[in-house]
């Protein structure tokens, strides 16, 4: 039995998918599958049910999963104890970020951290905000930049970066286009174009609708703010975006404040407090990078926004 087999098993169990697990551990899907089958052979039990669309743990797999996590955590703790004695900061830091949201201070923090601690391997990946929060909670990721609704995620430390209000985007010939502002009930009377469920902006919008007893018609969903704006410009619906997303110039649309959606979407840096000195150092560098950035909105570039991108 090898540690990498346990790592691959935990990855598949948490991702419920061999392809995503392989991407997470940076080897081929066939390599992950082969190592797990070898682990199952050594243990004499099937750990994963591969028959459905989602890969799930069997009863034996569920029993093994806790011990596999404990074993990996113990190895990490052993390495860390030795490094503490030697005064070294090394190992690996895994950082997640919402898809296609380029936040310059985060990259500045990673750069300064790498310069100060070249012995630490940095892994950066993109995912949805919901999955990123869960990755930090379970220890898959050490830190993540996520989009959330008005309340920060529970069970993690947070550093709010940007707060961004929601707006409606309509074509210039839309019935709402002549108004200086609008309200949730007004836009809900039309088909809507939104980001997918699981994004911070969508969470804020859904919460506002629920609080007012409004059941909107979500006609179209897209991951890219540019695509959502283009669909609105073509008259296919009222788009719901953050103010910073809608700030990109598009001659075919009108942007309207939604006066009764009071809660903003937030862009937040999250991590879990622990004994990892590399993480503590990265948190320190992150605080310094964001605190030295006077205008966060000038450093946020949204290309896709699948998972909440917002600016103050």
């Amino acid at each position: 039995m090898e540690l990498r087999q346990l790592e691959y098993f935990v990855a598949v169990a948490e991702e419920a998918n061999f392809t995503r697990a392989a991407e997470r551990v940076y080897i081929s899907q066939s390599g992950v599958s082969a190592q797990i089958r070898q682990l199952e052979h050594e243990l004499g039990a099937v750990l994963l049910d591969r028959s459905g669309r989602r890969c799930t743990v069997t009863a034996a797999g569920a029993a093994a999963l806790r011990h596999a996590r404990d074993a990996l955590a113990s190895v990490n703790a052993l390495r860390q104890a030795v490094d503490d004695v030697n005064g070294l900061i090394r190992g690996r830091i895994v950082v997640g970020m919402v898809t296609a949201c380029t936040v310059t201070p985060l990259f500045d923090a990673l750069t300064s951290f790498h310069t100060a601690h070249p012995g630490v391997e940095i892994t950066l990946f993109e995912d949805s905000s919901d999955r990123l929060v869960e990755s930090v909670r379970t220890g898959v990721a050490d830190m993540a930049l996520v989009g959330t609704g008005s309340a920060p995620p529970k069970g993690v430390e947070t550093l709010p970066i940007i707060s961004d209000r929601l707006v409606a985007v309509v074509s210039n010939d839309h019935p709402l286009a002549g108004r200086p502002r609008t309200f949730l009930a007004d836009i809900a009377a039309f088909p809507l174009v939104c980001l997918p469920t699981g994004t911070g902006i969508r969470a804020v919008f859904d919460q506002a609708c629920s609080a007012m007893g409004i059941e909107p018609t979500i006609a179209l969903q897209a991951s890219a703010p540019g695509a959502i704006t283009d669909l609105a410009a073509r008259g296919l619906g009222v788009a719901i975006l953050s103010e910073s997303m809608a700030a990109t110039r598009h001659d075919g649309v009108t942007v309207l404040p939604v006066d009764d959606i009071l809660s903003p979407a937030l862009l937040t840096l999250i991590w879990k407090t622990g004994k990892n000195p590399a993480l503590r150092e990265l948190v320190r560098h992150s605080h310094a990078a964001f605190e030295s950035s006077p205008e966060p909105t000038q450093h946020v570039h949204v290309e896709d926004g699948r998972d909440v991108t917002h600016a103050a």
Side-chain angles (χ1 to χ4, degrees), residues 35-55:
Q35 289 297 323
I36 291 179
R37 287 194 182 280
Q38 184 176 341
L39 177 63
E40 290 175 323
H41 177 73
E42 292 182 15
L43 293 175
V46 175
L47 304 178
L48 298 167
D49 182 354
R50 304 161 173 84
S51 61
R53 294 183 62 183
R54 288 171 53 86
C55 182

Side-chain angles (χ1 to χ4, degrees), residues 94 132-133 136-137 141-146 153-161 268-274 276 279-280 282-284 286-287 290:
V94 179
L132 288 172
V133 171
V136 171
R137 284 177 177 154
D142 298 293
M143 175 185 285
L145 187 69
V146 302
K154 295 181 179 179
V156 294
E157 300 294 323
T158 62
L159 174 63
I161 304 302
T268 304
L269 198 64
I270 66 170
W271 67 94
K272 282 190 73 173
T273 300
N276 185 345
L279 176 58
R280 290 197 296 269
L282 180 55
V283 169
R284 185 178 67 81
S286 298
H287 273 280
F290 282 105

Side-chain angles (χ1 to χ4, degrees), residues 155-214:
V156 294
E157 300 294 323
T158 62
L159 174 63
I161 304 302
I162 299 167
S163 174
D164 205 5
R165 68 178 298 178
L166 268 58
V167 297
V169 181
V170 299
S171 61
N172 290 336
D173 59 355
H174 192 277
L176 296 177
R179 303 184 183 186
R181 58 182 48 82
T182 190
F183 297 90
L184 188 55
D186 298 329
I187 61 178
F190 298 92
L192 302 178
V193 187
C194 293
L195 291 166
T197 300
T199 65
I201 289 171
R202 180 62 181 272
V204 171
F205 179 73
D206 289 347
Q207 290 164 9
C209 289
S210 177
M212 298 183 191
I214 294 173

Side-chain angles (χ1 to χ4, degrees), residues 189-257:
F190 298 92
L192 302 178
V193 187
C194 293
L195 291 166
T197 300
T199 65
I201 289 171
R202 180 62 181 272
V204 171
F205 179 73
D206 289 347
Q207 290 164 9
C209 289
S210 177
M212 298 183 191
I214 294 173
E215 297 184 4
T217 300
I218 310 298
L220 300 169
Q221 294 185 104
S223 295
I228 290 176
T229 301
D230 196 34
L231 291 168
R234 296 170 186 271
L236 294 175
V238 176
I240 305 299
L241 292 172
S242 70
E243 194 168 25
S244 61
M245 287 178 176
T248 303
R249 182 175 177 81
H250 194 303
D251 293 334
V253 299
T254 299
V255 179
L256 302 171

Side-chain angles (χ1 to χ4, degrees), residues 118-159:
V120 179
E121 175 189 353
I122 301 174
T123 299
L124 180 66
F125 72 99
E126 295 179 325
D127 208 336
S128 70
S129 290
D130 284 355
R131 288 172 59 84
L132 288 172
V133 171
E134 188 60 24
S135 292
V136 171
R137 284 177 177 154
T138 58
V140 173
D142 298 293
M143 175 185 285
L145 187 69
V146 302
T148 67
S150 56
K154 295 181 179 179
V156 294
E157 300 294 323
T158 62
L159 174 63

